[in-house]
Every structure is written in C-alpha cells, then in structure tokens.
Amino acid sequence: MSSSLRDPTPTPSAIASEIEKPLSSTASIDMEAGRRPVHKERHTAHTDLVRDVIIGFSDGLTVPFALTAGLSSLGSSKLVILGGLAELFSGAISMGLGAYLAGVTDKKHYEVERAREVQEVRETPHEEEEEIFELLGRYGVGREASAGVVESLKSNEDMWVKFMMDFELQLTLPASAAWIEGLVMAFSYMFGGFLPMIPYFCFKQVLHALYTSIGITAFILVVFGYVKAIVTGTTKRDAMWSAGQTLVIGAAAAGVSYGIVKGINGVERVQAA
C-alpha cells in the first residue's frame, strides 16, 4: 500500500518520542527560571500632542476648505485666496492660543489640587486613609486586603499624594509644555488648511480650482479618517467607517458654506437690479 493511504494516527512510540524532544531554548530558560511566557500588551496610549495634531489638522482641513468653497461661488480667485489666507492665519493663531491656554490651565489646576492634597494628607491623615479604603473598595478590595496598601502609602508621602491624585481626583500632570501644545495645534491647523487652497494658486479659473480642491480634500479626508482610526486602535472595518464619516462631514460643511454664500450673493444681485 502507498504511503499516502497509510493510517495517519501516530503510534505510541511516535508520541513518546515527541514528548521526549527538548523544549526550545527560550521556553526552557523560562521554565527553569520559573517565569511565564512574556505577554505583550496591545493597548494604545496617546499623548496630548497626538490629540492636538488630530484636532488641528481635521479643523484646518475642513474649515478653510468650506470657506474657500463658499467664496468660489463669487467667481474670483483673488478673493478666494485672500479670504482663505486670512481665515487660515487667524484660525491657526486662535487654535494655537486656545491649546496654549488650555495647557496652562490644566497644569495650574493640577498644581493647585496637588498642593491641597498634600495639605490634607498632613493635616487629616485619618480621613485620607479612609478615602483609600473607599477607593479600593470600589474595585472589590476589602479592608483587610487594603490594609497593606494603606500602610505602604503612609510610609511614602509622595506616593500617597500621587495615589490620591490618580485615583481620587483622576488628574495627571500634562506631559508636554503648554507652548509646545500651542505650536503643534497651530501648525497642524495651518498645514491642513493650506492643502485645499493649493489649486487656487495654480488655476486661473475658479471652477477648475474648486473641483481640484474638492478632489484633493476628499482624498485627504478619507486617508486622514482611516489613519486616525487605525492610530486609535480600531479595526479596519471601523477605520473604513471613520474614513467615510470624515468625508461626509467635510463635504457637508463645504456644501453648506457654498450654498449660503451663493444664496447671499444671489439676493444682493436681485436687490441691486
């Protein structure tokens, strides 16, 4: 009988030989050291700078594009460029200052609350201990099991305060300086807003520039929506949905702006006639 028709069931001797085979070097070392196999976490963590880039670029891509699309209905490339640049620079400055002030406020808030927490730990330690028991109790940890944690935290004031800031107040010190957040937000907005305006510098005909701008912006919106979703750790299916959602929102903003400016301009012509 040919080998292809033989019984695939392994014999007892074959099973024994497989069991007696040595483990791989990594596995054997882990077994000897009593360690478990390494588990790699797949969670995604994003800094405030990533948030600033996403917000700045998305706003810069949609707001100036909607404005230039609306101004295109007037038929003047020069007007579109001047109005678009004015909005681009003013919007970038506004977004940058907003991010800077938000960063300064967050840092100041953290410092004030930390100083208050330090004072409470020093002046009312018993009440702070009870708060630790209460916090751990929310996670199903009883007083007996929590006692060791409480005693450990009491021996280190900095860690005690940090524990209360993390779990009670849920506040963290901003990782980036406020001025860096402001610059990142401003330049992200400016970069995103300048892309839809490029065709208006290249074409004399406003409609040609408008159609080219629509194509460029639509492509960037889809790519940006997809990449943004992937960066946040979603599935490819959700990323495709995010890309379509971003495109619809941007198209709706541009369409509304174009219609409003076109309508106002039409009313003014009727009144002038």
Side-chain angles (χ1 to χ4, degrees), residues 252-264:
V256 171
S257 177
Y258 184 90
I260 291 175
V261 176
K262 186 75 172 178
I264 294 175

Side-chain angles (χ1 to χ4, degrees), residues 96-162:
L97 287 177
Y100 170 77
L101 294 175
V104 171
T105 302
D106 289 343
K107 182 179 179 181
K108 187 63 177 179
H109 181 212
Y110 180 88
E111 292 173 350
V112 170
E113 291 298 332
R114 189 183 187 283
R116 183 180 291 117
E117 195 64 42
V118 170
Q119 182 180 1
E120 292 177 355
V121 166
R122 293 175 180 176
E123 297 180 358
T124 57
H126 180 70
E127 286 76 3
E128 294 297 304
E129 291 177 26
E130 291 299 321
E131 289 181 3
I132 297 177
F133 285 118
E134 181 180 349
L135 289 171
L136 294 177
R138 298 174 187 175
Y139 297 90
V141 183
R143 291 185 69 91
E144 286 189 23
S146 303
V149 177
V150 174
E151 293 301 322
S152 297
L153 291 175
K154 286 170 60 178
S155 63
N156 190 328
E157 183 181 276
D158 290 337
M159 290 296 101
W160 189 352
V161 173
K162 185 179 186 304

Side-chain angles (χ1 to χ4, degrees), residues 68 70-83 200 203-207 209 269:
T68 53
L71 293 177
S72 298
S73 63
L74 302 179
S76 173
S77 296
K78 183 178 180 180
L79 181 60
V80 172
I81 293 174
L82 292 177
Y200 295 97
F203 296 97
K204 293 182 179 180
Q205 293 292 331
V206 178
L207 288 180
R269 289 183 178 178

Side-chain angles (χ1 to χ4, degrees), residues 34-47:
R35 295 196 302 264
R36 295 181 178 180
V38 178
H39 170 65
K40 295 182 179 180
E41 295 286 347
R42 297 184 178 180
H43 302 292
T44 55
H46 307 294
T47 63

Side-chain angles (χ1 to χ4, degrees), residues 222-243:
V222 171
V223 174
F224 175 71
Y226 183 84
V227 172
K228 179 184 66 175
I230 293 296
V231 168
T232 55
T234 60
T235 62
K236 291 185 177 180
R237 180 178 180 181
D238 292 335
M240 293 298 297
W241 170 255
S242 175

Side-chain angles (χ1 to χ4, degrees), residues 174-223:
S176 304
W179 66 271
I180 295 179
E181 292 187 26
L183 287 178
V184 170
M185 180 74 77
F187 281 107
S188 298
Y189 184 92
M190 186 172 294
F191 178 70
F194 185 74
L195 294 177
M197 292 186 59
I198 293 178
Y200 295 97
F201 293 94
C202 302
F203 296 97
K204 293 182 179 180
Q205 293 292 331
V206 178
L207 288 180
H208 293 169
L210 174 61
Y211 296 148
T212 306
S213 178
I214 291 174
I216 293 175
T217 306
F219 175 76
I220 296 175
L221 284 172
V222 171
V223 174

